[in-house]
Amino acid sequence: MKTLSTPHTKRIISFSLILILLLYSNACHYYKVRSAQPNEIPSISKIGKIHKQFYINTVSDVYSISSFKLDSVSISGILTRPAKKPYYNNLNGYRYKEAETDILNEVHIYLNTDDVSQFMINRSSPSLNYLGNAVIPLSSILEIKIIEKDTGKTTASYFFGTVGVISGVLIIITVIVALTKSSCPYIYSCDGEGYVFDGEIFGGAIAKNLQREDYMLLPSLKPTDGLYKIRVCNELKERQYTDLAQLLVVEHPADQKVLLDKKGVAHSIGNIQPPVSAITFSGDDLLSAMESTDQKVFFFNDEEYSTNGVALKFNKPAGANMGKLVLRAKNTLWFDYQVGNFFQLFGNSFDGWMQKQSEINPDDRRQRIIDQQFPLEFYLKNDTEWNLVDRIETVGPLAYRDIVVPIDLTKHTTSEIELKIQSGFMFWEVDQIGMDFKNDNELEIFRVNPISANGTGDLDWLAELNDIDGKYMSQATVGMVTELVYRAPSASDKGYVQTCFLYTSGYYEPIREFEGLPQLLELYRFKAPGYFSDFSRTNYLIAIEKEAALASVKTFE
């Protein structure tokens, strides 16, 4: 696993998350706490688009911070005593009344120290309530809680510990993305008690000529009174256009899993074999990290390479003519942040650039994405040659995907299988990799169209979502929600279980309001294949240098 070699940045940091689900009643609003694994990153919405009240929490005190700013190494602002006591604290239970709705505008930042004076930059004459300007290093942040009412979710909590696999830069990434997140339609599944965030659909399809189909596993979806319910939400500064939203229900034995590949073909997964070797391009051994779902994640972040990857070896069972590579992966928060940095280079020409891009031939535009190494690529070694097996398009940074890549082994004659997985610098993260060599069972897929599709403003989108026909459900403003209801297929008498997937097609358009002239010299460099990966790596190294410089100043003081 790649760790940092810079002396001041050797500390190892990761994050865990707490997700709070919001329930409703007539008199009060309730939320409950569910402990989430680090790979269950929840929806982070509307932060940065609506006003938020930021609080700085120490061990024994709380301060308000205004004129809030954030860069790659610190947060800054004016510290004061709060004009009124914050609504949220760790002891007030999980309910709020209508008169307390301001709680939904609170963001609480918890520090690993009780002394805020060390962060003040004008300590000469603080008053009782006014402390002055402060600059707080991101390395001093222990936890961030963003509290909001969000289609069934209210509080996203980010806790930064000491047992991870990447540097303190991950704190920078997480905080920034929490404030500026941009992505694609969010999907919430009804689990019988409430709506749970399950992921994002057709990630990266930022224009009509990039419209694509997507098959997303819905692990939280459970039938209620014979009905499956899903919500499609626009929670970001973008216009979202969904052409199809069909539920695919697969029946299979309870002792097996089932996954759909990128073409929608169902594969039974029953006996996943871990690799016998997993070595990064720089020679680091990832075997123990890739064997199971845990906090050990490969971030494709070796500083020596722009193109990063891992070489895998598997023992091939005798007679096996097919392998199903199974991995748990998603895009990184860093990648999302770098896409935002790229967009900003266009300044006030961003809308014009987007319009020109939408007129490009779809195949040509997809090739440019491939050339910039956005997809996750899979190669199989035959004799001495590496042959491309498949590419997986971006899936978004907020939820892991269980991905299956079928591999034809009929012409593979050796007992050892060599694969490699590669992508651009920190574009993806992978938590587990394995391979199932058993032939697929015959699986029946029920294709279920919604029986209702009621959206914000009493809009009925049912007719738009039954076929890929260019008629779109248009969620053009932030806050639009559509609830889809599907009739659950009758269970067979075989004792099988049902696994559900959302089959969608669509695209979205980011809305940005940048100022200033485009940075033409830098933008010209992106015409070179692979430059986006160089751009990502360069910005990563700059962030590390800033962090090291800050640590040096703190040590000197």
Side-chain angles (χ1 to χ4, degrees):
M1 199 69 60
K2 185 72 178 75
T3 57
L4 293 176
S5 57
T6 308
H8 297 292
T9 57
K10 285 185 176 178
R11 67 187 185 278
I12 306 297
I13 299 176
S14 70
F15 59 90
S16 61
L17 305 153
I18 296 174
L19 176 65
I20 298 180
L21 310 179
L22 184 65
L23 301 177
Y24 300 93
S25 71
N26 293 329
C28 296
H29 299 278
Y30 296 83
Y31 56 90
K32 63 181 181 179
V33 176
R34 179 172 72 86
S35 294
Q37 298 299 316
N39 56 10
E40 295 180 277
I41 297 179
S43 164
I44 309 164
S45 65
K46 296 185 286 295
I47 304 297
K49 299 188 295 295
I50 61 177
H51 174 72
K52 285 287 178 183
Q53 176 63 56
F54 291 85
Y55 293 98
I56 301 296
N57 295 260
T58 66
V59 176
S60 60
D61 215 338
V62 60
Y63 305 88
S64 178
I65 182 169
S66 58
S67 301
F68 183 90
K69 295 181 181 179
L70 182 146
D71 60 28
S72 61
V73 295
S74 64
I75 59 173
S76 61
I78 301 173
L79 282 187
T80 59
R81 297 285 179 179
K84 62 179 180 179
K85 186 178 180 180
Y87 286 106
Y88 178 79
N89 62 62
N90 290 319
L91 304 175
N92 63 352
Y94 308 121
R95 60 187 290 176
Y96 66 91
K97 300 177 182 178
E98 288 294 339
E100 300 172 336
T101 54
D102 281 350
I103 193 174
L104 302 178
N105 281 324
E106 294 181 3
V107 175
H108 288 263
I109 299 172
Y110 295 83
L111 305 184
N112 59 13
T113 178
D114 203 28
D115 178 18
V116 297
S117 65
Q118 62 183 299
F119 307 127
M120 308 307 299
I121 58 175
N122 56 344
R123 311 176 191 176
S124 56
S125 58
S127 65
L128 181 63
N129 294 317
Y130 174 82
L131 281 74
N133 293 304
V135 177
I136 303 173
L138 295 180
S139 57
S140 295
I141 295 174
L142 179 67
E143 186 176 10
I144 297 176
K145 290 185 178 180
I146 302 166
I147 304 164
E148 58 184 10
K149 181 180 179 182
D150 178 15
T151 325
K153 302 210 185 302
T154 182
T155 302
S157 173
Y158 295 82
F159 181 80
F160 306 105
T162 57
V163 291
V165 293
I166 194 171
S167 77
V169 173
L170 191 53
I171 290 180
I172 299 169
I173 299 166
T174 305
V175 173
I176 291 174
V177 173
L179 299 174
T180 61
K181 176 75 183 75
S182 64
S183 192
C184 34
Y186 289 176
I187 302 299
Y188 296 86
S189 299
C190 182
D191 67 354
E193 297 182 2
Y195 282 85
V196 179
F197 178 75
D198 265 344
E200 309 163 79
I201 53 176
F202 40 80
I206 60 171
K208 189 172 183 178
N209 59 351
L210 290 175
Q211 176 173 335
R212 66 180 181 88
E213 299 173 34
D214 194 6
Y215 299 87
M216 188 177 80
L217 175 67
L218 301 174
S220 304
L221 188 62
K222 301 291 186 295
T224 303
D225 297 326
L227 299 175
Y228 287 115
K229 298 180 181 180
I230 299 169
R231 287 179 180 172
V232 183
C233 307
N234 182 356
E235 301 176 2
L236 307 166
K237 294 179 69 174
E238 59 193 32
R239 295 175 290 268
Q240 300 173 353
Y241 302 96
T242 306
D243 200 4
L244 174 74
Q246 191 176 72
L247 192 66
L248 304 183
V249 183
V250 185
E251 284 198 342
H252 58 94
D255 62 348
Q256 294 183 346
K257 292 176 57 177
V258 63
L259 293 174
L260 302 186
D261 64 26
K262 73 174 191 180
K263 296 180 180 179
V265 178
H267 300 277
S268 54
I269 310 296
N271 186 22
I272 298 178
Q273 303 295 322
V276 296
S277 174
I279 306 295
T280 68
F281 287 2
S282 62
D284 292 330
D285 188 349
L286 293 182
L287 186 59
S288 62
M290 295 294 98
E291 287 179 334
S292 60
T293 301
D294 50 28
Q295 297 183 28
K296 299 177 181 178
V297 176
F298 177 45
F299 284 92
F300 295 80
N301 68 320
D302 191 298
E303 296 168 22
E304 302 301 320
Y305 299 90
S306 287
T307 300
N308 264 243
V310 55
L312 306 166
K313 292 182 180 180
F314 293 89
N315 289 328
K316 176 188 173 185
N321 55 24
M322 177 184 182
K324 292 166 284 187
L325 189 68
V326 179
L327 64 155
R328 190 166 178 81
K330 67 181 184 69
N331 295 111
T332 63
L333 295 169
W334 176 260
F335 177 60
D336 187 275
Y337 181 44
Q338 294 313 307
V339 171
N341 284 340
F342 168 67
F343 286 167
Q344 198 160 7
L345 293 173
F346 289 92
N348 55 21
S349 297
F350 177 76
D351 289 343
W353 175 76
M354 286 291 292
Q355 177 60 40
K356 288 182 179 179
Q357 292 296 300
S358 68
E359 298 168 359
I360 296 174
N361 177 277
D363 290 338
D364 291 341
R365 192 166 188 192
R366 286 191 172 89
Q367 186 59 50
R368 295 182 185 184
I369 291 173
I370 292 171
D371 291 343
Q372 294 300 340
Q373 301 177 320
F374 285 11
L376 196 59
E377 295 185 330
F378 303 83
Y379 292 85
L380 173 67
K381 191 173 186 179
N382 288 315
D383 296 326
T384 59
E385 293 185 358
W386 289 101
N387 298 316
L388 178 68
V389 172
D390 210 345
R391 294 186 179 96
I392 298 298
E393 296 186 80
T394 52
V395 299
L398 291 185
Y400 277 98
R401 287 278 190 110
D402 290 325
I403 297 169
V404 60
V405 179
I407 301 175
D408 183 3
L409 300 176
T410 54
K411 297 181 180 179
H412 197 280
T413 57
T414 64
S415 60
E416 185 177 71
I417 298 170
E418 292 188 63
L419 296 166
K420 69 176 178 180
I421 304 174
Q422 68 181 40
S423 185
F425 186 88
M426 276 192 80
F427 293 176
W428 289 80
E429 58 186 84
V430 176
D431 191 26
Q432 183 184 25
I433 302 175
M435 187 173 287
D436 187 342
F437 293 95
K438 290 188 176 181
N439 292 332
D440 285 323
N441 297 334
E442 290 189 10
L443 298 169
E444 183 174 7
I445 300 179
F446 298 94
R447 298 180 178 271
V448 186
N449 285 326
I451 59 174
S452 67
N454 297 320
T456 300
D458 294 326
L459 295 172
D460 183 354
W461 297 110
L462 188 62
E464 284 77 10
L465 297 176
N466 285 331
D467 296 291
I468 302 177
D469 54 8
K471 299 176 182 178
Y472 297 96
M473 174 179 72
S474 174
Q475 294 178 301
T477 59
V478 175
M480 294 189 72
V481 179
T482 299
E483 182 169 276
L484 308 178
V485 179
Y486 302 84
R487 188 166 284 110
S490 299
S492 67
D493 56 2
K494 299 178 182 179
Y496 284 4
V497 296
Q498 294 183 347
T499 295
C500 297
F501 300 82
L502 185 61
Y503 171 34
T504 56
S505 178
Y507 70 99
Y508 59 99
E509 298 172 338
I511 300 171
R512 298 295 181 268
E513 298 167 353
F514 299 131
E515 297 179 353
L517 296 175
Q519 299 182 39
L520 296 178
L521 182 61
E522 178 64 13
L523 287 170
Y524 182 80
R525 295 188 175 103
F526 285 89
K527 292 186 177 182
Y531 183 73
F532 204 106
S533 187
D534 296 334
F535 176 74
S536 174
R537 175 175 170 269
T538 298
N539 288 341
Y540 180 81
L541 295 176
I542 290 172
I544 290 174
E545 290 176 1
K546 287 183 178 180
E547 186 184 28
L550 188 68
S552 298
V553 171
K554 188 173 182 181
T555 300
F556 179 77
E557 291 176 347

